[in-house]
């Protein structure tokens, strides 16, 4: 096949098109001007101009997480690249497929402290799954295609391609994706059959089994979620989801115990603590999930299924570690379970469910909505209730509001829940919502944010206006960095050091200044109307809801405590101090 | 082996010899807090541009397993082999050792070098540079003996290792 010789920028655009890319989130600058020129000349690929490079990456994450496709970012050299670092780290921690193109000074200037030069591959090496610096035009097309393969296969993650300006301007041959095959990187997808059989045998002999499932199920795809539901229903065992796993199994289903972990439900955490066989599916035993490792599920045998071998036996030793794609492994599990006619001990399982029902009676998420002040949980519940008949996507920022959204908004389907889990990045919510709304122009996209978090990428209001993205941003405004205040109350003698939001803007005026509707709600009686009105407005809205500033997020497993030492906050009205030096040093 | 027992492992890693690959490996060790006792690297296949890294590290069985899994996860890594687990292996290191001495000490250092099969690769009236090849332990022992005899400078390559017999990576 004759090689097609193009210029570097054309190669990049052609590769994006051939990879099925529809939209790029970016911000221009000197080093990427040739690429922007090429973008100007074509109309296959849409460019969304954000207002800060961090937001470009979060937008690409929102796009990726809500579609299952790779999100694409384009930023300039130096400050453009360094601004993207937080987003890249976020995508790495949450295993989100992103390809980030960064401009670079011309190859002959690299290492000379040239204007807007940064050692981008050096800086991003620990916060990407992989990165490339293209110095040879002959490798440009191959690198582009390889980057998409690496970002999206195996355990997904962010990949950076650093593109010196001379490479973008000079001639380069183009290769089709089909002409590129990676030499070393080909992850295992099929699980080991012998191990799967062993694992199922272990499950069949269990008296108190539990499924603990995470974001890996969603990364594996919609089909994997369907198979998870089939397996769960076939076996009849309880299932709990991590923060990243919400939506992988319908929240309303009676076998679902809710989210587990630090702010998980009482029943999920107690069941994890007392189980005798645990299946960890696409979940990585994060410290927010396990609490104190010395007391984590002490009497259990564990099976872990993950596409990433390094996730297995990392924090928690397991009895059987199955490396493979969740969808493939679940398919085999269901087949083998049926073929071998495995059955759980019905009486034991019944007893286990009775125990779980007992824990459920605590109603650990209950709250009372008084007449005078709006409870933050109530806002989440009402938005959930009033969006039920729409296709709705939720993004959040980080803090109490994030945990309340996770606890109270019932997610029935995968891809509808976007949150910064591993990194806990304030400022994630609004840009992620941009990406989601760009991918799903007709859907309802709600961003739950806090009065502090929203300020961290507030400039994206301009992007919402420019592209008429009708995102509904709901601020749970407690005038505090609520999660910080909660920890200070519980661990630092209520010394609220620097956690009060002293000078908040008037969010209504601010919205208007950006060219869209701002609303405020302070009275519980007005809440439903406010939400309904917000949903009806055809355009972006910020709804600033004044909520109870003293509300704490419960249940809570304080850092360093085991699952069965959860604080419920109900008896004490949240006035319990955590007396633990050990907990104080943990995050 | 006990879960908490720390042991030493020699791990061979075959990688694409491309820019930044060593930084990736070293960054992995420093970023995740793993030990590096020694690390050597050189291209071993000029045709395919593959390099072999030999790293000596230590940790609990769980940490060693993590190190191998994390190394395998790096995109330019082809193969990871734990020589300590995969059967008998040969480990060799080269050291250049400068001893500055005169008189009886100088003669004594030559005598010991002879026993260790170390060669003098440079000599002046008051100094020798010895080249010694052997296991790290042998080199340690030689260095120890040279200490009272005017040992003044050491340069070691770190360990290169390969499995014995017909076994290959
Ligand atoms: C970029 C960043 N800086 C700091 C933090 C630490 N942090 C976690 S939650 C939080 C407070 C968030 O306040 P707000 O957005 O008002 O949410 P609330 O907890 O009040 O719901 C802070 C500062 C963080 N997660 N991310
Ligand atoms: Mg707040």
């Amino acid at each position: 096949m004759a090689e097609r010789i193009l210029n570097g920028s054309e190669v990049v655009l052609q590769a994006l098109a051939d990879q099925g890319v529809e939209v790029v989130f970016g911000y221009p600058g000197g080093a990427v001007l040739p690429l922007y020129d090429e973008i100007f000349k074509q109309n296959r690929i849409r460019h969304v101009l954000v207002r800060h490079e961090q937001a470009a990456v979060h937008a690409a994450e929102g796009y990726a997480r809500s579609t299952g496709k790779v999100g694409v970012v384009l930023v300039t050299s130096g400050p453009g690249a360094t601004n993207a670092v937080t987003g890249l780290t976020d995508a790495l921690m949450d295993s989100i497929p992103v390809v980030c193109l960064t401009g670079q000074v011309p190859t002959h200037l690299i290492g000379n402290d040239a204007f807007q030069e940064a050692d981008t591959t050096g800086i991003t090496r620990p916060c990407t799954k992989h990165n490339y610096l293209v110095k040879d035009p002959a490798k440009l097309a191959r690198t582009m295609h390889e980057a998409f393969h690496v970002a999206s296969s195996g355990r997904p993650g962010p990949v950076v391609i650093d593109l010196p300006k001379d490479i973008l301007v000079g001639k380069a041959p183009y290769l089709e994706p089909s002409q590129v095959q990676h030499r070393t990187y080909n992850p295992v997808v099929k699980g080991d059959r012998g191990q799967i059989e062993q694992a199922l045998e272990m499950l069949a002999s269990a008296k108190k089994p539990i499924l603990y499932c995470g974001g890996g199920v969603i990364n594996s795809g919609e089909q994997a979620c369907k198979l998870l539901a089939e397996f769960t229903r076939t076996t009849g065992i309880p299932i709990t989801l991590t923060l990243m796993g919400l939506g992988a199994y319908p929240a309303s289903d009676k076998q679902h115990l809710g989210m587990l972990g630090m702010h998980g439900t009482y029943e999920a955490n107690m069941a994890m603590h007392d189980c005798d066989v645990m299946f960890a599916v696409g979940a990585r035993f994060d410290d927010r999930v396990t609490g104190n490792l010395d007391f984590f599920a002490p009497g259990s045998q564990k099976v872990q299924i993950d596409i990433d071998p390094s996730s297995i036996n990392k924090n928690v030793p397991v009895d059987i570690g199955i490396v493979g794609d969740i969808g493939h492994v679940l398919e085999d599990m269901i087949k083998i379970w049926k073929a071998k006619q495995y059955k759980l001990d019905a009486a034991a399982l019944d007893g286990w469910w009775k125990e779980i029902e007992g824990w459920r009676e605590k109603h650990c998420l209950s709250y009372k909505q008084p007449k005078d002040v709006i409870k933050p949980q109530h806002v989440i519940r009402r938005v959930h209730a009033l969006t039920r008949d729409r296709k709705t996507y939720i993004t959040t920022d980080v803090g109490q509001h994030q945990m309340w959204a996770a606890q109270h908004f019932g997610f029935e389907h995968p891809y509808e829940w976007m949150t910064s889990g591993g990194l806990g990045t304030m400022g994630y919510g609004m840009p992620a919502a941009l990406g989601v709304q760009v991918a799903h122009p007709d859907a309802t996209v709600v961003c739950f944010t806090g009065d502090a978090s929203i300020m961290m990428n507030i400039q994206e209001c301009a992007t919402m206006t420019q592209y008429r993205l009708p995102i509904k941003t709901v601020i749970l405004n407690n005038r505090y960095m609520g999660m910080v205040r909660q920890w200070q109350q519980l661990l630092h003698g209520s010394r609220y050091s620097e956690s009060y939001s002293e000078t908040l803007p008037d969010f209504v005026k601010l919205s208007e200044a950006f060219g869209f509707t701002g609303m405020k709600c302070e009275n519980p009686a007005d809440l439903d109307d406010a939400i309904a009105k917000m949903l009806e407005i055809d355009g972006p809205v910020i709804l600033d809801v004044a909520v109870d500033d003293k509300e704490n997020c419960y249940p809570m497993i304080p850092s360093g405590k085991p699952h069965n030492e959860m604080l419920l906050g109900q008896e004490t009205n949240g006035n319990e101090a955590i007396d633990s030096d050990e907990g104080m040093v943990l995050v | 082996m006990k879960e908490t027992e720390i042991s030493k492992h020699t791990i061979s890693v075959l990688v694409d010899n491309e820019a930044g690959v060593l930084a990736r490996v070293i960054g992995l060790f420093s970023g995740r807090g793993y030990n590096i006792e020694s690390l050597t690297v050189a291209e071993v296949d000029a045709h395919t541009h593959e390099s072999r890294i030999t790293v000596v590290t230590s940790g609990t069985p769980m940490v060693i397993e993590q190190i191998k899994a994390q190394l395998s996860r790096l995109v330019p890594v082809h193969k990871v082999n734990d020589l300590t687990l995969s059967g008998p292996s040969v480990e060799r290191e080269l050291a250049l050792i400068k001893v500055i001495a005169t008189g009886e000490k100088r003669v004594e250092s030559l005598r010991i070098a002879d026993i260790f099969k170390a060669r003098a690769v440079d000599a002046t009236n008051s100094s020798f540079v010895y080249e010694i090849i052997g296991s790290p332990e042998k080199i340690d022992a030689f260095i120890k003996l040279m200490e009272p005899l005017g040992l003044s400078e050491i340069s070691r390559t770190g360990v290169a290792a390969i499995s014995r017999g017909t076994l290959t990576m």
Side-chain angles (χ1 to χ4, degrees):
Chain A
M1 192 155 138
E3 267 184 353
R4 274 169 70 199
I5 305 291
L6 308 172
N7 71 45
S9 297
E10 286 169 339
V11 167
V12 171
L13 267 281
Q14 184 64 47
L16 292 178
D18 285 349
Q19 288 293 338
V21 174
E22 289 160 354
V23 57
V24 171
F25 300 92
Y27 205 93
V32 286
L33 285 180
L35 270 174
Y36 273 86
D37 205 31
E38 211 45 55
I39 287 173
F40 188 84
K41 292 184 205 154
Q42 55 86 54
N43 51 20
R44 279 180 304 185
I45 291 164
R46 185 174 168 206
H47 180 273
V48 172
L49 177 71
V50 293
R51 299 304 194 267
H52 187 293
E53 290 86 352
Q54 182 193 350
V57 187
H58 292 325
E61 287 184 273
Y63 179 90
R65 191 74 177 161
S66 67
T67 59
K69 297 190 215 163
V70 177
V72 181
V73 177
L74 170 57
V75 299
T76 194
S77 65
T82 55
N83 269 350
V85 164
T86 300
L88 293 169
T89 312
D90 193 88
L92 182 72
M93 291 290 268
D94 286 343
S95 309
I96 310 293
V98 168
V99 168
C100 176
L101 310 175
T102 56
Q104 182 55 276
V105 302
T107 39
H108 71 275
L109 287 181
I110 290 178
N112 284 17
D113 299 326
F115 178 61
Q116 295 198 326
E117 179 183 0
D119 176 7
T120 300
T121 44
I123 291 169
T124 61
R125 199 171 289 127
C127 65
T128 52
K129 180 172 173 185
H130 193 51
N131 62 17
Y132 303 87
L133 168 62
V134 181
K135 282 178 150 176
D136 175 1
K139 291 193 178 143
L140 179 59
R142 160 180 299 277
T143 304
M144 288 293 299
H145 297 313
E146 222 179 85
F148 277 84
H149 171 62
V150 171
S152 59
S153 59
R155 179 177 179 177
V159 175
V160 160
I161 310 176
D162 205 20
L163 298 165
K165 198 170 181 182
D166 53 327
I167 299 286
L168 294 176
V169 177
K171 294 287 172 212
Y174 186 69
L175 293 172
E176 309 281 330
S178 58
Q179 295 170 273
V180 175
Q181 239 252 321
H182 201 279
R183 288 206 300 145
T184 54
Y185 185 74
N186 292 300
V188 175
V189 291
K190 214 63 188 138
D192 180 89
R193 195 182 158 102
Q195 280 188 311
I196 296 176
E197 282 179 15
Q198 255 182 303
L200 291 179
E201 218 156 275
M202 186 187 281
L203 181 63
S205 68
K207 303 224 166 343
K208 300 178 170 199
I210 192 164
L211 283 164
Y212 145 53
C213 306
V217 183
I218 293 173
N219 275 338
S220 179
E222 244 167 332
Q223 182 60 15
C225 298
K226 286 204 185 98
L227 291 165
L228 176 66
E230 187 183 341
F231 184 74
T232 308
R233 286 175 189 142
T234 308
T235 53
I237 66 181
I239 176 170
T240 175
L241 300 172
T242 68
L243 180 70
M244 292 307 294
L246 296 178
Y249 187 85
S252 62
D253 189 273
K254 61 183 191 318
Q255 278 173 261
H256 180 232
L257 308 186
M259 181 173 76
L260 82 162
M262 183 174 271
H263 293 291
T265 66
Y266 185 70
E267 49 272 31
N269 286 330
M270 291 302 284
M272 283 292 279
H273 185 268
D274 285 6
C275 73
D276 65 352
V277 171
M278 173 193 302
F279 267 53
V281 186
R284 60 185 177 90
F285 295 94
D286 179 81
D287 57 73
R288 282 293 181 276
V289 156
T290 61
N292 189 328
L293 282 176
D294 295 341
F295 305 101
F296 175 67
S300 67
Q301 287 184 293
K302 299 175 196 76
V303 174
Q304 187 178 2
I305 307 165
D306 206 293
I307 192 134
D308 176 9
S310 76
S311 276
I312 293 172
N313 284 327
K314 183 173 65 182
N315 309 328
V316 173
V318 297
D319 300 274
I320 301 174
I322 301 171
V323 177
D325 171 61
I326 306 295
H328 282 83
V329 176
L330 279 169
E331 197 179 346
D332 288 345
M333 279 166 62
I334 293 166
K335 269 194 211 137
I336 298 170
W337 184 266
K338 286 181 177 161
K340 297 224 163 189
Q341 299 188 328
Y342 280 127
K343 282 228 154 47
L344 282 146
D345 173 348
L349 190 60
D350 197 47
W352 179 224
W353 272 113
K354 287 219 169 73
E355 226 176 307
I356 290 170
E357 290 311 327
W359 294 322
R360 272 182 168 158
E361 300 221 318
K362 286 258 185 199
H363 297 288
C364 67
L365 296 179
S366 65
Y367 60 91
K368 286 202 188 71
Q369 174 52 58
K371 285 219 159 51
D372 53 340
V373 56
I374 302 174
K375 288 285 180 185
Q377 302 92 315
H378 194 58
V379 182
I380 308 279
R381 293 222 166 219
R382 293 318 299 159
V383 172
H384 182 221
L386 294 169
T387 53
R388 250 190 208 147
D389 54 347
R390 301 158 171 258
K391 180 75 179 160
T392 306
Y393 294 85
I394 302 295
T395 74
T396 75
D397 265 300
V398 173
Q400 291 178 318
H401 64 276
Q402 174 190 30
M403 292 299 120
W404 283 317
Q407 292 173 335
H408 294 273
F409 201 101
F411 295 95
E412 298 293 308
H413 310 286
Y415 298 158
E416 294 177 358
W417 163 245
M418 267 56 58
T419 198
S420 169
L423 196 63
T425 313
M426 290 169 70
Y428 170 90
M430 192 185 284
L434 290 176
V436 176
Q437 189 81 75
V438 165
H440 310 277
D442 300 324
T444 301
V445 180
V446 178
C447 165
F448 287 115
T449 181
D451 45 284
S453 291
I454 194 177
M455 299 304 291
M456 283 216 184
N457 267 321
I458 191 79
Q459 77 285 345
E460 295 311 314
C461 287
T463 315
M464 291 202 291
T465 307
Q466 178 178 346
Y467 296 93
R468 297 199 184 84
L469 298 171
I471 295 161
K472 314 303 179 199
T473 302
V474 178
I475 308 174
L476 301 193
N477 190 339
N478 50 14
R479 273 87 61 206
Y480 275 105
M481 299 174 192
M483 192 56 95
V484 173
R485 190 200 53 71
Q486 175 167 347
W487 280 52
Q488 289 173 332
Q489 182 187 346
L490 299 178
L491 283 147
H492 296 271
S494 296
R495 290 178 295 279
Y496 299 138
S497 179
E498 305 293 326
S499 56
Y500 183 65
S501 292
E502 190 73 51
T503 50
L504 285 173
D506 177 334
F507 287 106
V508 175
K509 283 193 186 143
L510 181 128
S511 308
E512 285 163 2
F514 275 109
F516 56 82
T517 311
M519 295 166 57
K520 203 170 161 66
C521 180
E522 290 167 315
N523 191 336
D526 301 336
L527 182 63
D528 272 25
D529 285 348
I531 295 169
K533 188 176 160 206
M534 167 185 85
L535 292 170
E536 260 153 46
I537 291 172
D538 181 21
V541 179
I542 288 182
L543 172 58
D544 178 15
V545 185
V547 298
D548 187 350
D549 61 355
K550 296 280 156 21
E551 191 69 13
N552 281 345
C553 186
Y554 290 110
M556 176 176 182
I557 306 173
S559 287
K561 297 279 185 188
H563 276 167
N564 60 350
E565 286 182 37
M566 229 170 311
L567 306 179
L568 288 173
Q570 289 167 331
E571 306 80 17
T572 53
N573 269 328
N575 271 327
E576 42 210 321
I578 303 166
D579 198 13
S580 158
D581 290 343
E582 199 189 343
M584 200 116 106
V585 300
L586 297 169
V587 281
Chain B
M1 194 186 297
K2 283 237 304 286
E3 280 306 313
T4 50
E5 212 166 280
I6 291 179
S7 63
K8 199 164 164 180
H9 284 243
T10 304
I11 298 170
S12 287
V13 192
L14 274 187
V15 299
D16 281 329
N17 183 17
E18 60 182 34
V21 66
L22 191 57
R24 273 180 223 289
V25 170
I26 292 172
L28 176 76
F29 276 77
S30 63
R32 293 188 181 265
Y34 306 141
N35 268 324
I36 299 182
E37 294 192 6
S38 103
L39 186 141
T40 61
V41 58
E43 190 168 274
V44 291
D45 190 329
H47 183 63
T48 57
H49 297 293
E50 275 171 32
S51 290
R52 182 171 176 135
I53 297 175
T54 306
V55 50
V56 181
T57 183
S58 59
T60 62
M62 221 164 133
V63 167
I64 296 291
E65 205 192 317
Q66 259 301 296
I67 290 174
K68 289 182 279 183
Q70 293 288 353
L71 282 170
S72 308
R73 202 157 81 121
L74 297 177
V75 170
V77 166
H78 292 248
K79 269 184 206 149
V80 176
N81 186 18
D82 187 338
L83 288 168
T84 307
L85 290 187
S86 64
S89 61
V90 196
E91 293 191 358
R92 285 294 178 271
E93 189 178 359
L94 182 147
L96 296 172
I97 289 156
K98 185 175 285 185
V99 176
I100 302 178
T102 52
E104 186 47 35
K105 283 190 174 171
R106 183 175 153 81
V107 180
E108 175 66 7
S109 80
L110 256 181
R111 230 178 269 136
I112 293 172
D114 192 42
I115 297 168
F116 275 78
K117 297 205 169 62
R119 286 199 306 145
V121 291
D122 176 71
T124 68
N125 285 338
S126 56
S127 72
F128 282 119
V129 174
Y130 292 114
E131 173 204 87
I132 177 168
I133 298 171
S135 68
E137 293 73 25
K138 177 178 163 181
I139 293 172
D140 288 346
F142 183 69
I143 289 170
K144 201 152 188 9
L145 289 171
M146 288 297 135
E147 252 163 35
L149 303 177
L151 175 73
S152 64
E153 206 176 321
I154 304 168
S155 174
R156 297 175 71 152
T157 58
V159 171
I162 203 160
S163 58
R164 288 181 186 271
T166 53
L167 214 67
T168 59
M169 251 187 107

